[in-house]
Amino acid sequence: MRNREQAAKRARELVGQMTLEEKASQLKYDAPAIPRLGVPAYNWWNEALHGVARGGVATVFPQAIGTAASFDTELAERIGKAIGVEGRAKYNAAREENDRDIYKGLTFWSPNINIFRDPRWGRGHETYGEDPYLTGEMGKAFVNGLQGDGEFLLGAACAKHLAAHSGPEALRHEFNAQVSQKDLRETYLPAFEKLVKEAEVEAVMGAYNRVNGEPCCGSKTLMEDILRKEWGFQGHYVSDCWAIADFHTHHMVTDTAEESAALALKAGCDLNCGVTYLYMLKAYEQGLVTEEEITRAAERVFTARFLLGMFDETEYDKIGYEKIECQEHLALADRAAAESVVLLKNDGILPLDRSRLKTVGVIGPNANNRTALIGNYHGTSSRYITVLEGIQDCLGDQVRVYYSEGCHPFKDRLENLGLPGDRISEAVAVAKHSDVVILCLGLDETLEGEAGDAGNSYASGDKMDLLLPESQRKLLEAVTETGRPVILVNMTGSAMDLSYAQEHCNAVLQAWYPGARGGRVVADILMGEISPSGKLPVTFYYDVKELPDFENYSMKGRTYRYFTGRALYPFGYGLTYGSAELAEVKVNGQAVVRSGEIRLAGDDGLTMEALVANTGSRDLREVVQVYIKADSPDAVPNGKLCGFAGVTVKAGESRTVTVKLDRDALTVVNEAGEKVSGGARFTVSAGFGQPDERTRELTGKEAFTFRLER
């Protein structure tokens, strides 16, 4: 029942039969049954960030930041669809057993489309990176897949967390993000607007923090003025968990739970993840809310349940348990992992020639670490394949694989009775006995993640700096000092200072958190079975000293659009094993030459056609990226990503790829937060990365740049 009007009509009829108490009871995430009306209990809380999470076995895809590195919207949509199908299969099985517990429903609180504005933020790996356009496109595709295109919603997606929410985790319950209108409209809101207007996302979740003084789950500005009136949002709004209690316990904008419940409800928060809406009837008795306001919220949440077909027979009722972690979805997870890995450095050592290998050393705390495969908000896999296991399986008995954990992920020793650095000598011995070393370092969800979920409680999931833990830095130095060839596989969900590795390692791979069986894919990339094609969705800086204070929400000096320094690895950067060139570029059918000019006729949209020539000896996948900078004082200093498309090209062949440019490509946002024309002249660049000096230095390639007039 994708017909919202019909679903809303049925919701009004059902809610109209409820008492005030029954209506209020349905506004909690753990809504009780109403037997007399045939309404079963329903728990709204389910997670699906990169696979159905926290509810048992499911396909565990690469963490969201890894999917973002693919720059592949078709892939994101297929992942969303697979998650929706597995979610339905699990829902059908649980319902058959009358199990209506948490993490068993069809309302998935994903995707996280906050902007990863600062690499210290622990939850950044849940996002699609630092760019509003990339985030919006990947998020829209994920929602389209998860919600499906059937008569009913396959699952209900939720865009979170509105708005300006990206750390610090330790302060999130009391923090006030002070944001200019330009930054709000240019950076923090566009992805939400896209998911509302273009993907018709069913739910939006509010953030814990305040924005310019208003708590996000009680903000008239965000929830009523922008979300519903300006963007026309028709779905339901849910609070982050226990965020409404923060109103009176941390933000101090109200004095009581009743006042907090009333503030949230009046602003348009329909569903409470938490317990504050238990005070809704008291708020009513005190005259703080009306029955009409309670009714409105109840109608919205029941509209969602009707859209999901919870009171009907649907085309999804026969999705069987065999769809969970099926071969089709596991193959899709492998593809996602393959497209996510970013090759940051390669002096020619990769891919490895296994015919010349006799011994391989696999070293490091993440080499055999299952936790480093999965990120956070994950399901349970029936099998895990670490990088060590992937290499062992790939090489078989033909090559001797030595292994040393080398160090603890962050402690100074692995054995309590040992001395500091107790496994360094073993790691050095392994390195000295190996033809090549695969060094697996990085973090996992215990070192970067959400407050309350993460192990580094001193920062509530955030990083203090961009350095690897000291134990790992010492291991890195000891292994590279052996003089053996070293390939670093960095498994983190965020940008790190890899400057030492860039200088001392022969190759560097950014593998993110590649999914439950991602170690096999990493091994295939190392051995040349797959050419890496990922591009960085975030900037890798040298040091946090180059960045503004973490608490400062101004975009000045942040992300590739505003950063004025020299990046270690720029946004959009990533190498392959082959070599490709842009041989020809057309805009709206007009051929363009490098450093030339083109005049745009009319106000039609922009479409670019690029002929990608594979000039190497290996098949490869490349990502054409288009950046535009307006001749306007309101333009972002370094230009902005406005279009991208991946293309697979066989060795020696050429293929034309079409890039549909963002409808807002020729607009800018002024200081008042207004989207206006960018003027008459623009600089347009197309290539396999940004048109910046550092990308040229790392790739040896010049972007295809020209001027556009209208």
Side-chain angles (χ1 to χ4, degrees):
M1 185 182 298
R2 297 303 284 270
N3 187 323
R4 180 171 290 276
E5 289 185 8
Q6 187 177 355
K9 179 176 181 292
R10 292 178 65 185
R12 287 193 299 272
E13 292 172 349
L14 179 59
V15 172
Q17 300 175 60
M18 296 180 187
T19 66
L20 177 62
E21 291 78 7
E22 288 170 337
K23 295 175 191 175
S25 74
Q26 298 300 301
L27 308 187
K28 301 189 293 101
Y29 76 94
D30 50 346
I34 308 176
R36 71 180 187 86
L37 296 177
V39 176
Y42 182 67
N43 196 303
W44 290 80
W45 190 342
N46 207 349
E47 305 282 358
L49 181 60
H50 54 119
V52 182
R54 298 179 173 178
V57 171
T59 305
V60 181
F61 294 92
Q63 177 60 295
I65 194 72
T67 302
S70 73
F71 279 63
D72 189 340
T73 55
E74 185 264 340
L75 174 65
E77 183 167 348
R78 288 191 61 188
I79 290 173
K81 181 66 176 292
I83 292 170
V85 168
E86 292 197 15
R88 273 285 174 173
K90 295 177 79 68
Y91 172 78
N92 290 344
R95 185 176 58 174
E96 188 172 325
E97 303 302 323
N98 199 30
D99 182 358
R100 301 185 181 277
D101 196 6
I102 193 171
Y103 310 131
K104 305 290 175 66
L106 295 173
T107 42
F108 301 102
W109 291 347
S110 299
N112 183 338
I113 56 170
N114 291 130
I115 298 300
F116 198 177
R117 66 181 179 93
D118 192 297
R120 286 166 284 197
W121 186 35
R123 297 188 73 180
H125 55 102
E126 298 178 24
T127 76
Y128 295 120
E130 70 182 34
D131 182 65
Y133 176 68
L134 177 64
T135 298
E137 289 296 299
M138 298 297 284
K140 179 178 72 172
F142 180 88
V143 169
N144 284 338
L146 180 58
Q147 297 194 161
D149 57 3
E151 181 184 357
F152 295 88
L153 290 177
L154 176 61
C158 175
K160 66 182 188 185
H161 312 82
L162 189 70
H165 177 75
S166 53
E169 283 292 295
L171 303 177
R172 64 182 185 173
H173 296 286
E174 62 196 56
F175 187 71
N176 180 33
Q178 296 178 306
V179 185
S180 71
Q181 288 303 305
K182 178 177 174 64
D183 285 339
L184 189 65
R185 296 292 189 157
E186 184 179 76
T187 298
Y188 296 113
L189 291 184
F192 287 96
E193 181 177 6
K194 181 165 289 184
L195 266 61
V196 168
K197 288 184 174 181
E198 299 180 27
E200 296 184 359
V201 67
E202 169 52 32
V204 171
M205 176 181 282
Y208 286 110
N209 53 278
R210 283 170 285 153
V211 171
N212 298 331
E214 290 184 286
C216 294
C217 294
S219 169
K220 178 180 180 298
T221 301
L222 291 175
M223 300 162 68
E224 183 179 341
D225 298 344
I226 296 176
L227 185 61
R228 293 201 182 273
K229 290 183 178 178
E230 183 180 330
W231 297 346
F233 177 61
Q234 297 295 307
H236 67 278
Y237 195 98
V238 56
S239 76
D240 208 337
C241 298
W242 279 258
I244 297 175
D246 288 341
F247 292 6
H248 57 277
T249 59
H250 292 96
H251 294 305
M252 311 309 292
V253 296
T254 56
D255 294 323
T256 66
E258 291 88 348
E259 290 178 0
S260 296
L263 176 61
L265 185 73
K266 284 180 172 294
C269 185
D270 307 302
L271 188 67
N272 177 207
C273 181
V275 297
T276 309
Y277 274 15
L278 289 172
Y279 294 87
M280 191 62 73
L281 291 178
K282 286 189 176 181
Y284 171 78
E285 292 170 358
Q286 294 174 20
L288 299 175
V289 297
T290 65
E291 182 169 0
E292 289 74 20
E293 290 164 339
I294 294 172
T295 300
R296 178 189 65 187
E299 289 174 352
R300 286 176 180 164
V301 297
F302 272 97
T303 297
R305 292 181 71 171
F306 278 111
L307 287 169
L308 286 161
M310 291 184 176
F311 301 96
D312 300 275
E313 290 186 7
T314 77
E315 64 264 49
Y316 309 125
D317 293 347
K318 294 183 180 179
I319 294 178
Y321 202 76
E322 66 277 2
K323 285 293 186 180
I324 298 169
E325 211 183 35
C326 63
Q327 287 302 313
E328 177 189 356
H329 295 168
L330 292 174
L332 180 62
D334 284 348
R335 173 189 162 188
E339 292 190 21
S340 73
V341 174
V342 185
L343 179 60
L344 298 175
K345 178 186 178 180
N346 185 19
D347 68 358
I349 193 173
L350 291 176
L352 295 172
D353 185 350
R354 71 178 73 191
S355 68
R356 297 186 177 184
L357 295 175
K358 294 183 179 179
T359 56
V360 172
V362 182
I363 300 173
N366 274 353
N368 203 32
N369 181 5
R370 288 183 171 185
T371 306
L373 296 173
I374 54 179
N376 65 355
Y377 282 91
H378 55 80
T380 301
S381 180
S382 64
R383 186 184 180 196
Y384 297 84
I385 303 177
T386 64
V387 174
L388 172 63
E389 293 166 336
I391 292 172
Q392 290 170 330
D393 292 346
C394 186
L395 295 178
D397 297 330
Q398 298 176 345
V399 178
R400 175 66 188 271
V401 178
Y402 292 108
Y403 167 64
S404 172
E405 192 171 356
C407 69
H408 188 276
F410 61 91
K411 295 179 181 179
D412 67 358
R413 70 201 77 190
L414 275 160
E415 300 294 339
N416 291 334
L417 297 180
L419 294 172
D422 57 345
R423 294 289 171 83
I424 293 288
S425 64
E426 180 191 52
V428 169
V430 165
K432 288 181 176 180
H433 284 81
S434 301
D435 296 330
V436 64
V437 174
I438 313 299
L439 182 59
C440 302
L441 304 180
L443 307 174
D444 59 32
E445 69 165 327
T446 68
L447 293 170
E448 59 174 350
E450 183 177 3
D453 281 356
N456 66 339
S457 56
Y458 64 87
S460 297
D462 295 330
K463 297 184 301 187
M464 302 298 288
D465 53 43
L466 304 185
L467 296 172
L468 290 166
E470 184 178 8
S471 60
Q472 297 190 43
R473 300 200 302 272
K474 289 181 177 179
L475 176 64
L476 172 61
E477 292 174 8
V479 171
T480 54
E481 285 173 359
T482 65
R484 297 297 187 183
V486 177
I487 299 164
L488 174 65
V489 176
N490 187 55
M491 300 171 73
T492 64
S494 57
M496 308 295 293
D497 176 1
L498 300 179
S499 54
Y500 184 92
Q502 173 67 16
E503 183 176 349
H504 294 90
C505 294
N506 299 83
V508 180
L509 278 176
Q510 177 66 30
W512 313 105
Y513 302 133
R517 307 183 187 197
R520 178 176 57 203
V521 174
V522 172
D524 285 342
I525 288 175
L526 291 170
M527 302 302 162
E529 298 297 322
I530 301 169
S531 177
S533 62
K535 304 293 182 181
L536 290 180
V538 290
T539 302
F540 274 49
Y541 307 94
Y542 282 93
D543 195 289
V544 292
K545 294 178 182 178
E546 301 178 289
L547 297 171
D549 290 342
F550 192 11
E551 294 82 2
N552 182 354
Y553 265 69
S554 169
M555 291 306 297
K556 185 178 180 180
R558 296 187 185 280
T559 76
Y560 79 93
R561 293 175 304 138
Y562 281 96
F563 183 58
T564 57
R566 181 175 182 267
L568 174 61
Y569 303 119
F571 173 91
Y573 165 70
L575 302 171
T576 71
Y577 288 158
S579 177
E581 302 287 345
L582 285 185
E584 182 180 279
V585 171
K586 294 181 179 179
V587 176
N588 289 7
Q590 301 182 61
V592 183
V593 297
R594 293 178 184 269
S595 303
E597 292 190 1
I598 186 172
R599 180 171 291 278
L600 184 65
D603 295 324
D604 294 337
L606 290 173
T607 300
M608 178 178 289
E609 292 177 292
L611 182 65
V612 179
N614 185 340
T615 56
S617 59
R618 289 180 172 273
D619 298 349
L620 57 78
R621 175 181 179 269
E622 261 295 2
V623 179
V624 177
Q625 304 165 43
V626 181
Y627 296 85
I628 295 181
K629 186 178 186 304
D631 286 356
S632 166
D634 293 312
V636 295
N638 300 324
K640 61 183 181 179
L641 179 71
C642 293
F644 59 86
V647 58
T648 300
V649 189
K650 293 184 178 298
E653 297 185 0
S654 299
R655 284 189 62 187
T656 297
V657 60
T658 299
V659 185
K660 292 283 289 184
L661 298 190
D662 181 24
R663 63 182 182 182
D664 294 326
L666 304 184
T667 66
V668 295
V669 177
N670 63 24
E671 293 299 326
E674 300 164 331
K675 189 184 300 179
V676 297
S677 169
R681 294 179 62 83
F682 304 82
T683 300
V684 183
S685 298
F688 306 130
Q690 285 187 71
D692 66 303
E693 182 179 345
R694 181 59 173 159
T695 300
R696 288 195 295 272
E697 180 184 334
L698 290 168
T699 63
K701 296 185 178 182
E702 190 84 27
F704 195 110
T705 300
F706 58 94
R707 298 284 290 176
L708 184 149
E709 295 187 6
R710 62 174 181 176

